[in-house]
Amino acid sequence: FTPFPHDATLKHPRSANHGVLWLSPKGELWYFYTVSMYYFDGRGALFATVCNNADSSAPTWSEPIHLGAGICSGKPVIHPGNGNWILPVSIWGRDLINYEGRRWVMSAQKGHKWVSPYADEYKEYDSKRGSGVYVSKDEGASWSAHLGAVKTPGAVAERYPNPTLYVNQKGGITMVTRSANTAYSHASWSTDGLSWSANAWKFLPAPDQNLLFTN
């Protein structure tokens, strides 16, 4: 399969990044990834492709499946109560669109006071920036978006909210979201994977990576 890399017919450079592999209980190998103009265009398009013969010497992959907007940063978890597949996603803050002065920018973005042509685009997602999930109730046959479902603190949502999920000891789901260039991570929990706590925030000193902890 092709993860939609850049080609010469496009007006602006395109990237495919944030790939996540996950082996489902059905034995399918899922690959989730995000496609964006430049490194981040303010939205990101989340795709998945599935391999049913991952142990083969010549594995084959499905055509890419477009799930919707967002960036995937962690593997799905299976809710212990209802069996739903829950995939952590986020939509980064608007100030990440230009990336001026950051070491990982694409070569096309390097230059004094470079301004992205997408700097004012995708404002319809502004209310959904931060952490959220995609949920499948039919083992991956379809997915529903719950973008911005987690009430991510502004200090995290405005940067790079990259959430991770795990099944907690209470039988629910805990999400830990870290944000680059800030000093905190944020945690929230859910009993069903659809609605998330607004009063269980835990601010933790954090490095530039996801933290996992038990509760």
Side-chain angles (χ1 to χ4, degrees):
F1 75 99
T2 172
F4 305 115
H6 180 64
D7 66 61
T9 65
L10 296 175
K11 184 177 180 180
H12 301 122
R14 180 173 63 187
S15 64
N17 50 66
H18 284 75
V20 174
L21 288 168
W22 179 63
L23 186 65
S24 80
K26 300 164 62 177
E28 301 168 330
L29 183 62
W30 285 71
Y31 180 59
F32 301 93
Y33 60 96
T34 294
V35 173
S36 185
M37 303 307 293
Y38 294 96
Y39 189 67
F40 179 57
D41 55 17
R43 178 191 62 179
L46 181 62
F47 286 85
T49 182
V50 185
C51 177
N52 289 306
N53 60 338
D55 292 329
S56 170
S57 59
T60 56
W61 295 84
S62 72
E63 288 296 313
I65 306 162
H66 181 217
L67 303 186
I71 298 113
C72 174
S73 61
K75 298 179 181 181
V77 298
I78 300 175
H79 194 284
N82 56 33
N84 291 346
W85 294 5
I86 306 172
L87 176 70
V89 298
S90 62
I91 298 184
W92 295 342
R94 297 198 64 83
D95 65 336
L96 276 302
I97 299 174
N98 286 331
Y99 281 83
E100 182 180 353
R102 296 178 174 86
R103 66 184 183 276
W104 52 82
V105 298
M106 300 171 68
S107 58
Q109 296 174 256
K110 294 180 179 178
H112 182 62
K113 295 183 179 179
W114 180 86
V115 176
S116 171
Y118 299 93
D120 294 320
E121 299 296 323
Y122 304 124
K123 291 185 177 179
E124 66 270 26
Y125 290 101
D126 285 356
S127 63
K128 300 178 180 180
R129 298 189 186 279
S131 302
V133 293
Y134 276 77
V135 176
S136 177
K137 299 180 179 181
D138 49 17
E139 298 184 318
S142 62
W143 296 82
S144 59
H146 301 267
L147 301 172
V150 181
K151 303 302 180 184
T152 314
V156 177
E158 292 169 6
R159 301 299 299 169
Y160 301 84
N162 288 324
T164 295
L165 299 176
Y166 70 93
V167 177
N168 60 45
Q169 297 175 352
K170 300 176 182 179
I173 303 295
T174 295
M175 174 183 285
V176 179
T177 300
R178 67 88 179 167
S179 185
N181 300 332
T182 69
Y184 302 101
S185 284
H186 161 263
S188 186
W189 65 276
S190 175
T191 57
D192 58 8
L194 301 175
S195 57
W196 294 82
S197 66
N199 57 359
W201 295 353
K202 299 178 182 179
F203 292 89
L204 305 172
D208 187 9
Q209 64 182 9
N210 289 317
L211 295 179
L212 294 182
F213 60 92
T214 57
N215 58 352

